[in-house]
Amino acid sequence: MRFAAIGCFLLALTACERERRDLRPSPAKVVVFGDAAIQSQILPGGGAPRASVTNPFQGNAYAISEGQRLFGWYNCTGCHANGGGAIGPPLIKDHWIYGNEPANLFDTIVKGRPNGMPSWGAKIPEYQIWQLVTYIRSMNNLEPRSATPERLDTIEQSSRTILPKSEGEPR
Amino acid sequence: MTWGRMPSCAPVANRRWPGESGTRPKLATCATMLFSLASAFGQQSSLAPGGTHASQIKSLGVFFFWLLGIIFLIVIAIAVASIFQRGQSTQDEAAQRRLKTAIAGASVLTILILFGLVVVSVGVGKEISAPGGRGNELVVEVTGNQWWWFVRYLNDDPTRIVVTANELHIPVGRPVLIRGLSNDVIHSFWVPGLQGKRDLIPSRVTTQWIETNEPGRYRGQCAEFCGLQHAHMALWTVAEPESQFQQWIGTQLRPGAAPSDDLQQRGQEVFLSHACVLCHSIQGTTANGQVGPDLTHFGSRLSIAAGTLPNNKGNLAGWIADPQNIKPGTRMATVPLDPTDMQPLLEYLESLQ
């Protein structure tokens, strides 16, 4: 009985990171990560070690819910609808032109992309861009299952939306 | 980041509200402290009613207090008396009968009094919730947000709709219909000096009539727990004579003041080129964010951060530099600014009269 209780307590500890709320983000200026998000395998001059960029909110449920709120507030929905895509491409898919790693998504939001994606770097504080990145990844089941909420009922599956398989299913 | 730390101390130093007794003696005695406490209470108290509805609620409360207080004292007196009469026998028949009559009488009396109180209370409840319009009412939409109030003065003519935040201006002697809405969770609109509480419920409209006969400032407060910063979700109701009110409406209808000097010009550039514009709007500029308070006439507001701090440059600097320090969890973003951009931004925002 006692061991079961201690076991439950220890299991509960694992949930701490999931809900950690960073209410006082660093006011650091936006950093555009030079070549961290390069897609091409061909590197001129032989290539140098790349800067490793990590998402500070990886697996954080609070950041995902904040990202979800900002996704509406900053009118991402205007082009991408609730992730299913509208006049802009869907954000739930397997094939990403500019990559779906956190650094790639960050770069896409900061710099913008050709054919319509505006550059948000000057307008959205860096920590909120990371929250958006975490939310977008969570829609694609790229964040830990424990932190990912159910998809919104409002997400429409268009013909271009390819829902990724959830964990456990054969890929 | 020392620039972020410095102004964030300012709000603590300047918490005095406009309208509070301005001259605070240097040798603050207990008595004067209590006095200022009482005046602060007066601005948000159902014991200091400023309107017909609130005085009815107060009369009801006072009636309940005295009636039930007297009954309480009588019951305690009987209980104390019975302790001292322990020696008396209750075995004989006459005493038994007396006791039974007394208990039956007290029970009937209790039921009658409680029933009477229900009738009185329901009567007052009906009166304060009755439509108060006489054809000249003002209709104001109040929308609860985490954690601020969106206020919109409705008008049949769309060009005469006025939008503001965390501040409700009402004319004295004219009924005002509050249409309550909510954008996220359940809030409750409560200006104790004017009316009772009315919940604001998402995807519903609740209504409340308020009317005041005394010019003055009445502080309101969200009265339904709505998340982290529920306690810092206040609004000021400013009751003013009709002419002054019309003047205020006239001012609010104008677009935001154009920058009048280089510093303010730079401030406007800072505002329009940073994250501010994604949430806030200033009429007459390209800033058209719809999810935060409208800042078109920010400089004329009494408070910042929904009644959290009096509106002045020092407090505003602290709020912009580090909102999470003043209101942890607030949806106001921490926007990185160059140190040299802060002063122009403050000058510009405070110039928006």
Side-chain angles (χ1 to χ4, degrees):
Chain A
M1 189 60 209
R2 191 185 299 161
F3 288 110
I6 294 169
C8 285
F9 177 72
L10 289 176
L11 274 178
L13 280 181
T14 60
C16 293
E17 191 63 21
R18 178 186 176 274
E19 275 295 336
R20 201 170 61 84
R21 296 186 179 201
D22 188 6
L23 289 182
R24 297 196 58 191
S26 152
K29 297 283 280 186
V30 171
V31 180
V32 180
F33 293 109
D35 60 352
I38 281 176
Q39 284 289 292
S40 169
Q41 296 303 308
I42 308 162
L43 299 166
R50 291 200 209 159
S52 86
V53 177
T54 49
N55 178 359
F57 300 125
Q58 171 78 32
N60 184 286
Y62 177 68
I64 291 176
S65 74
E66 285 292 281
Q68 188 177 52
R69 176 173 67 79
L70 297 172
F71 194 83
W73 273 34
Y74 294 165
N75 200 25
C76 308
T77 45
C79 296
H80 300 287
N82 282 308
I87 59 169
L91 299 178
I92 304 172
K93 54 190 175 184
D94 276 339
H95 177 69
W96 292 75
I97 302 173
Y98 303 103
N100 62 6
E101 285 307 304
N104 296 63
L105 291 171
F106 185 93
D107 225 45
T108 301
I109 297 173
V110 168
K111 293 177 182 164
R113 295 294 183 197
N115 299 326
M117 176 74 181
S119 151
W120 293 89
K123 291 285 168 68
I124 307 182
E126 188 172 320
Y127 73 97
Q128 291 190 333
I129 296 180
W130 282 122
Q131 289 173 341
L132 284 164
V133 165
T134 318
Y135 172 60
I136 293 164
R137 283 175 58 82
S138 84
M139 287 198 283
N140 289 277
N141 286 335
L142 294 169
E143 290 294 309
R145 196 83 196 100
S146 60
T148 307
E150 293 298 310
R151 285 207 188 100
L152 286 178
D153 290 344
T154 43
I155 293 181
E156 277 179 38
Q157 191 176 354
S158 76
S159 57
R160 289 190 297 164
T161 316
I162 303 147
L163 292 174
K165 300 207 169 52
S166 59
E167 275 172 31
E169 278 179 61
R171 279 176 189 267
Chain B
M1 284 288 155
T2 45
W3 61 270
R5 288 272 169 268
M6 183 271 291
S8 70
C9 306
V12 183
N14 197 346
R15 286 232 178 215
R16 189 188 297 164
W17 286 96
E20 258 185 290
S21 55
T23 51
R24 197 165 291 180
K26 276 178 187 161
L27 288 169
T29 60
C30 268
T32 53
M33 277 171 74
L34 280 174
F35 180 75
S36 67
L37 193 70
S39 81
F41 258 61
Q43 290 179 322
Q44 184 183 311
S45 167
S46 31
L47 297 177
T52 42
H53 303 99
S55 30
Q56 274 169 313
I57 295 170
K58 189 197 168 187
S59 315
L60 182 73
V62 169
F63 173 67
F64 267 53
F65 175 79
W66 285 113
L67 182 70
L68 299 178
I70 289 165
I71 291 170
F72 176 74
L73 289 180
I74 292 171
V75 170
I76 294 296
I78 291 171
V80 170
S82 70
I83 292 169
F84 290 108
Q85 294 195 341
R86 222 183 340 186
Q88 276 196 351
S89 162
T90 51
Q91 294 305 316
D92 64 281
E93 204 138 299
Q96 281 278 337
R97 207 177 306 124
R98 271 209 311 279
L99 201 62
K100 273 181 189 162
T101 323
I103 289 172
S107 305
V108 170
L109 199 63
T110 306
I111 290 167
L112 284 179
I113 290 173
L114 286 177
F115 192 72
L117 289 180
V118 168
V119 171
V120 175
S121 158
V122 168
V124 171
K126 277 187 85 167
E127 245 171 90
I128 59 169
S129 57
R134 298 188 290 270
N136 63 341
E137 69 265 22
L138 181 75
V139 187
V140 186
E141 197 177 85
V142 175
T143 309
N145 291 277
Q146 283 175 323
W147 291 277
W148 60 281
W149 308 88
F150 173 80
V151 178
R152 193 156 72 135
Y153 289 76
L154 301 186
N155 199 306
D156 291 336
D157 178 0
T159 61
R160 294 193 61 81
I161 289 177
V162 163
V163 163
T164 181
N166 305 321
E167 209 164 294
L168 183 63
H169 285 247
I170 56 171
V172 169
R174 204 167 132 195
V176 180
L177 175 64
I178 307 283
R179 280 168 57 86
L181 299 153
S182 170
N183 270 342
D184 32 51
V185 297
I186 299 179
H187 301 276
S188 187
F189 177 76
W190 187 34
V191 186
L194 296 179
Q195 248 290 22
K197 300 168 184 172
R198 179 64 78 223
D199 278 10
L200 310 180
I201 301 166
S203 69
R204 276 202 180 204
V205 180
T206 53
T207 55
Q208 184 180 52
W209 288 89
I210 56 174
E211 189 171 345
T212 171
N213 32 36
E214 255 175 82
R217 283 179 192 154
Y218 306 93
R219 192 177 187 273
Q221 168 78 40
C222 181
E224 177 77 46
F225 181 72
C226 58
L228 277 178
Q229 286 304 325
H230 162 65
H232 282 146
M233 184 175 164
L235 93 167
W236 285 94
T237 307
V238 181
E240 50 204 3
E242 185 71 39
S243 59
Q244 236 170 301
F245 172 73
Q246 290 302 342
Q247 204 183 338
W248 179 81
I249 288 280
T251 318
Q252 298 294 308
L253 282 168
R254 285 207 292 270
S260 63
D261 58 31
D262 286 355
L263 206 56
Q264 289 175 14
Q265 184 67 43
R266 174 70 195 135
Q268 191 183 45
E269 282 167 27
V270 172
F271 188 90
L272 296 178
S273 60
H274 283 79
C276 321
V277 289
L278 292 183
C279 299
H280 298 288
S281 53
I282 295 177
Q283 302 303 320
T285 71
T286 51
N288 193 29
Q290 297 294 318
V291 289
D294 183 289
L295 300 181
T296 308
H297 300 282
F298 174 78
S300 68
R301 303 246 176 91
L302 289 170
S303 75
I304 48 179
T308 308
L309 295 167
N311 185 2
N312 58 45
K313 270 182 209 158
N315 287 343
L316 184 60
W319 173 241
I320 294 173
D322 196 358
Q324 300 293 340
N325 184 33
I326 291 163
K327 227 169 142 172
T330 177
R331 269 127 194 224
M332 167 87 169
T334 308
V335 180
L337 280 179
D338 275 338
T340 48
D341 283 345
M342 181 60 96
Q343 198 58 36
L345 184 60
L346 298 176
E347 293 288 341
Y348 172 61
L349 287 173
E350 294 294 348
S351 78
L352 294 169
Q353 288 295 324

